Amino acid sequence: MLGISKSTVSRALSEHTDVNAETRQRVIEVARKLNYAPNTIALNLKQQRTNIIGVIIPETVNRFFAKAIGGIQRIANLAGYNVMICQSDESSTTEKNNLQSLIAAHVDGVIISVSSETDHTDHFDALLQRNIPVVFFDRISESLQTSQVVTDNYEIAFEGTEHLIAQGRNKIAIVAGPLNLYVSKHRFQGYADALKKHNLPLRDEYIIHSNFHNSDIEAYTKQLINLPERPDAVFAINDYAAIEMMYHFKKHGIRIPEDIAMLGFNNENICKFVEPPLSSIELSSYDLGTTAAELLLRQIKGSRELEKKLVKSKLVIRESTAGKKS
Amino acid sequence: MLGISKSTVSRALSEHTDVNAETRQRVIEVARKLNYAPNTIALNLKQQRTNIIGVIIPETVNRFFAKAIGGIQRIANLAGYNVMICQSDESSTTEKNNLQSLIAAHVDGVIISVSSETDHTDHFDALLQRNIPVVFFDRISESLQTSQVVTDNYEIAFEGTEHLIAQGRNKIAIVAGPLNLYVSKHRFQGYADALKKHNLPLRDEYIIHSNFHNSDIEAYTKQLINLPERPDAVFAINDYAAIEMMYHFKKHGIRIPEDIAMLGFNNENICKFVEPPLSSIELSSYDLGTTAAELLLRQIKGSRELEKKLVKSKLVIRESTAGKKS
DNA sequence: ACCGATCCCGGGAACGGTCTCTATAAAATA
DNA sequence: TATTTTATAGAGACCGTTCCCGGGATCGGT
């Protein structure tokens, strides 16, 4: 339209100096009139990057991860990045497929929280081979040398267990997750070590390995109820398991917290409104998301140092872990 | 490596017929040895599409939308598409920004559920102008001529209200959402019409317009408690509001369901485990997601007809709406 | 022996930008 | 006045594909 070359137009629209002020003005004007916007795909091809960061999480319906996504998106959008989210559905094979998709989409970096099924990490090598920046959060892969963001699982589980002990409980059961998961393992270790410190035995019959779908909570609850020595406290690795257990306990005439104290994990909103209100552990997964995104962006910008960040969690005490009254 | 042109390589690797079977074999072999994968970005530029579908929803932490995302991703991935998710955070301006991002990213289509703040729809015109396929779901925009997927909000709210009436309730309060939202409006209308059908008055003091964050439920509950004529049932537009209300009612010595029956919306897992178990309305948001994705894919494939789909919901009766005992 | 059809394959444009290199005129300097 | 610098703009390569078009070789038929 202006009879000038595309090179000049390109210069005029970018911050380049090599262009006459008047021609630049004319170009800008025409561009606005035509509602011109540069083609992102062409740019991607030229610059060899997409301004997309990929995220692989187990499930969006898990509120913990939903909040983390919020944190990631906040930081990413602020920096001009889009976010592509994949769900592994707790399956190792779809996790692998997700990875392939993201690599094929040429994302500039990936944030991952591994599925509960994943016990090997070979498929993540594809990222390292291609030099794609990657950050693991929460459910990390310990065998891989990458940046990572975790919560103080061990310490907070230790603290939670000690809290139960301080309330006069000495038969403390735990609903743990699958032990191949980093978080489950460390939480369990915190629980075990707290018992040890207070000279309490670690009893097999008090240890329940549930999956994350809480599909068998009712059966597990009955197991506990029928034990010759019934526990006087349960530390559940997530709130929904705790709440469902509480429901079944109450159905059997077992009082909370008088007979059994309950402690959850995640501090969902609902904790405040169940009967009795559920003590729980507040994990700020939103912050987990933001720091993971920050680490990743730093790597994308060129930093090659591996960083490990810790996000502190907090014990929130409510009535479900009140002192023992006999 | 094989001394042949890139054209031939391209033909060999695609389903083209114009290539010797033997050379094709050699090409495929070398390709595998080199771990070759076509550059998606270059392909995007050439084909003028990205195989990405964009999604704009209010919040991922809202379980309803988290499930819908699951449905969308399932269908999309099956068809070879990636999904780019944006959250509007219930804000009309970030919704607009999300739209800009998705357009800039050249997504092949968009699935939208509008924010509760959105009362005008001009910013969606950008999609129609560019001929980008779009499907609205659940929270649709009535003024825009597009494909859409909704639930039978009116009918199910009518049915729920009649259920309460059948249980002997005649002072039924409602916790409604913002009325500029399609879903809230229709649910409210169903409630109102059911009352009318049974010759019950529609009382202003029984109508609560909460936002979706349930930030003021405690205050609203007290309002209801202090009314000269206290309601004997509450129909809450989401389960969390219902559960929190139940908690406050019980704190005031009000029995559920004897004094006040409670009916929720969404049928969250937690409904089964609160005291008493909460009757609710099951919206299969996963199906909402899958059908929305199917409609969109059909449009991307070239279909120009606007389709409107309905996904049926279901009343799930539990103890919180048991019959009135005086 | 000639010709048309068929089979393969290579050349090169195109997608929409950026960027390097070069060209030209004007201005500044020797 | 001759020469160098400066300001501005254009030409064209490049990113990695697809695909259209044309051309050479082989083959079969007359």
Side-chain angles (χ1 to χ4, degrees):
Chain A
M1 280 183 60
L2 293 170
I4 58 179
S5 78
K6 60 177 184 169
S7 315
T8 310
V9 173
S10 174
R11 267 189 300 255
L13 293 175
S14 52
E15 300 303 302
H16 257 280
T17 160
D18 261 16
V19 59
N20 186 300
E22 191 198 347
T23 36
R24 160 167 293 158
Q25 267 315 310
R26 286 208 313 244
V27 168
I28 289 176
E29 205 167 318
V30 172
R32 184 166 38 226
K33 199 156 57 189
L34 293 180
N35 220 335
Y36 169 84
N39 183 315
T40 323
I41 307 176
L43 231 137
N44 289 342
L45 181 59
K46 178 70 183 169
Q47 326 249 6
Q48 300 289 56
R49 57 193 166 79
T50 51
N51 278 356
I52 299 176
I53 72 182
V55 176
I56 302 179
I57 50 159
E59 295 182 314
T60 51
V61 292
N62 186 325
R63 200 180 157 84
F64 176 85
F65 292 114
K67 281 161 77 178
I69 291 175
I72 292 171
Q73 285 188 323
R74 165 105 194 296
I75 300 299
N77 291 342
L78 243 46
Y81 284 78
N82 281 315
V83 177
M84 194 173 277
I85 296 163
C86 297
Q87 305 187 51
S88 65
D89 292 322
E90 302 284 12
S91 146
S92 187
T93 50
T94 60
E95 186 175 80
K96 196 170 168 178
N97 290 337
N98 292 336
L99 208 55
Q100 294 305 327
S101 300
L102 293 180
I103 289 174
H106 283 253
V107 295
D108 293 346
V110 184
I111 295 176
I112 304 178
S113 205
V114 304
S115 87
S116 59
E117 206 186 283
T118 301
D119 50 1
H120 56 289
T121 58
D122 345 346
H123 51 298
F124 295 127
D125 292 340
L127 290 171
L128 306 182
Q129 279 167 23
R130 278 161 239 255
N131 265 322
I132 300 175
V134 54
V135 174
F136 284 84
F137 78 101
D138 195 52
R139 303 198 196 164
I140 67 173
S141 159
E142 288 183 280
S143 56
L144 245 50
Q145 286 300 317
T146 61
S147 286
Q148 49 190 233
V149 186
V150 292
T151 51
D152 49 349
N153 291 288
Y154 175 86
E155 290 79 5
I156 199 70
F158 192 97
E159 185 182 338
T161 310
E162 275 203 315
H163 164 65
L164 291 171
I165 296 171
Q167 302 300 312
R169 318 286 169 166
N170 52 28
K171 290 175 287 185
I172 304 174
I174 185 169
V175 181
L179 283 198
N180 60 316
L181 271 189
Y182 173 88
V183 290
S184 308
K185 195 166 77 183
H186 285 245
R187 290 176 193 174
F188 179 78
Q189 202 54 50
Y191 157 83
D193 286 359
L195 292 187
K196 193 170 174 186
K197 175 182 171 193
H198 294 270
N199 294 315
L200 294 173
L202 184 66
R203 306 193 196 178
D204 269 353
E205 65 269 30
Y206 285 174
I207 301 170
I208 292 174
H209 288 293
S210 87
N211 57 23
F212 272 88
H213 289 120
N214 299 334
S215 40
D216 302 312
I217 293 296
E218 186 169 3
Y220 288 134
T221 312
K222 285 188 179 146
Q223 266 181 40
L224 290 182
I225 292 175
N226 293 328
L227 283 179
E229 258 195 302
R230 190 182 287 172
D232 58 7
V234 178
F235 191 175
I237 212 155
N238 73 68
D239 287 331
Y240 290 108
I243 291 170
E244 181 170 353
M245 266 203 164
M246 255 166 54
Y247 176 81
H248 295 304
F249 279 144
K250 289 191 288 183
K251 271 267 177 285
H252 282 78
I254 296 167
R255 296 164 305 165
I256 318 279
E258 290 83 350
D259 302 323
I260 296 185
M262 294 290 310
L263 177 55
F265 223 109
N266 270 18
N267 198 28
E268 308 273 356
N269 284 335
I270 197 78
C271 290
K272 285 186 283 191
F273 305 119
V274 293
E275 195 93 1
L278 179 66
S279 297
S280 188
I281 283 157
E282 164 92 32
L283 306 172
S284 33
S285 52
Y286 186 89
D287 296 340
L288 226 50
T290 54
T291 54
E294 282 161 1
L295 287 197
L296 187 70
L297 288 178
R298 221 170 297 161
Q299 278 192 59
I300 291 176
K301 297 268 176 291
S303 160
R304 298 258 46 100
E305 72 170 313
L306 302 180
E307 303 185 63
K308 317 217 170 197
K309 293 268 185 179
L310 190 78
V311 174
K312 289 238 171 209
S313 40
K314 198 175 70 191
L315 178 61
V316 180
I317 298 173
R318 300 198 180 86
E319 293 171 36
S320 71
T321 57
K324 196 169 193 172
K325 307 164 201 165
S326 51
Chain B
M1 280 183 61
L2 293 170
I4 59 179
S5 77
K6 59 179 184 169
S7 313
T8 309
V9 173
S10 173
R11 268 188 300 254
L13 293 174
S14 53
E15 301 302 300
H16 257 279
T17 162
D18 259 17
V19 60
N20 185 301
E22 190 199 346
T23 36
R24 161 167 292 159
Q25 267 316 310
R26 287 207 312 241
V27 167
I28 289 176
E29 204 166 318
V30 172
R32 185 166 37 225
K33 199 157 55 188
L34 294 179
N35 220 335
Y36 168 85
N39 182 313
T40 324
I41 307 176
L43 229 141
N44 289 341
L45 180 60
K46 180 69 182 168
Q47 325 251 6
Q48 301 288 56
R49 57 192 165 79
T50 52
N51 277 358
I52 298 176
I53 72 180
V55 175
I56 302 179
I57 52 158
E59 295 182 313
T60 50
V61 291
N62 186 326
R63 200 181 157 85
F64 176 85
F65 291 114
K67 282 161 76 178
I69 289 175
I72 292 172
Q73 285 189 322
R74 165 105 194 296
I75 300 299
N77 291 341
L78 243 45
Y81 283 79
N82 280 315
V83 177
M84 193 172 279
I85 296 163
C86 298
Q87 304 188 52
S88 66
D89 291 323
E90 302 284 13
S91 146
S92 187
T93 49
T94 60
E95 184 174 82
K96 196 170 171 179
N97 290 337
N98 291 337
L99 209 55
Q100 294 305 328
S101 299
L102 292 180
I103 290 174
H106 283 253
V107 296
D108 293 347
V110 183
I111 296 177
I112 303 178
S113 203
V114 304
S115 87
S116 58
E117 205 186 284
T118 301
D119 49 2
H120 56 290
T121 58
D122 343 348
H123 51 298
F124 295 127
D125 293 339
L127 290 171
L128 306 183
Q129 279 167 22
R130 279 161 237 254
N131 266 323
I132 300 175
V134 53
V135 173
F136 284 83
F137 79 99
D138 194 52
R139 302 198 196 164
I140 66 174
S141 159
E142 286 183 283
S143 56
L144 245 49
Q145 286 301 316
T146 61
S147 285
Q148 50 191 230
V149 186
V150 291
T151 52
D152 50 349
N153 291 287
Y154 175 86
E155 291 78 4
I156 198 70
F158 192 97
E159 185 182 336
T161 311
E162 275 202 315
H163 164 65
L164 290 171
I165 296 170
Q167 302 299 313
R169 318 285 169 166
N170 53 27
K171 289 175 289 187
I172 304 173
I174 184 169
V175 181
L179 283 197
N180 59 316
L181 272 190
Y182 173 88
V183 289
S184 308
K185 194 166 79 184
H186 285 243
R187 289 175 192 174
F188 179 79
Q189 202 55 49
Y191 157 83
D193 285 0
L195 292 186
K196 193 170 174 187
K197 176 182 170 194
H198 293 270
N199 294 315
L200 293 173
L202 184 66
R203 304 194 198 177
D204 269 351
E205 66 270 30
Y206 284 176
I207 301 169
I208 291 173
H209 288 294
S210 86
N211 57 22
F212 272 88
H213 289 121
N214 299 333
S215 40
D216 303 312
I217 292 296
E218 184 168 4
Y220 287 134
T221 312
K222 286 188 178 147
Q223 265 181 40
L224 290 181
I225 292 175
N226 293 329
L227 284 179
E229 259 195 301
R230 193 182 285 173
D232 59 6
V234 178
F235 191 174
I237 213 155
N238 73 68
D239 286 330
Y240 289 107
I243 291 170
E244 182 170 353
M245 265 199 165
M246 254 165 55
Y247 176 81
H248 295 303
F249 280 144
K250 287 190 289 182
K251 271 267 178 284
H252 282 78
I254 296 167
R255 296 165 305 166
I256 318 280
E258 290 83 351
D259 302 323
I260 297 185
M262 294 290 308
L263 177 55
F265 223 109
N266 270 17
N267 198 28
E268 308 274 357
N269 283 335
I270 197 76
C271 289
K272 284 185 283 191
F273 305 119
V274 292
E275 196 92 0
L278 180 65
S279 297
S280 189
I281 283 158
E282 164 92 32
L283 307 171
S284 34
S285 51
Y286 187 88
D287 295 340
L288 226 51
T290 54
T291 54
E294 282 161 359
L295 287 197
L296 187 70
L297 286 178
R298 221 170 297 160
Q299 278 193 58
I300 290 176
K301 296 269 175 291
S303 159
R304 298 258 47 102
E305 72 171 312
L306 302 181
E307 303 184 63
K308 318 217 171 196
K309 292 270 183 178
L310 191 76
V311 174
K312 289 239 173 209
S313 41
K314 197 174 72 192
L315 179 61
V316 180
I317 298 173
R318 299 198 179 87
E319 293 171 37
S320 73
T321 57
K324 196 169 192 170
K325 306 162 201 166
S326 52

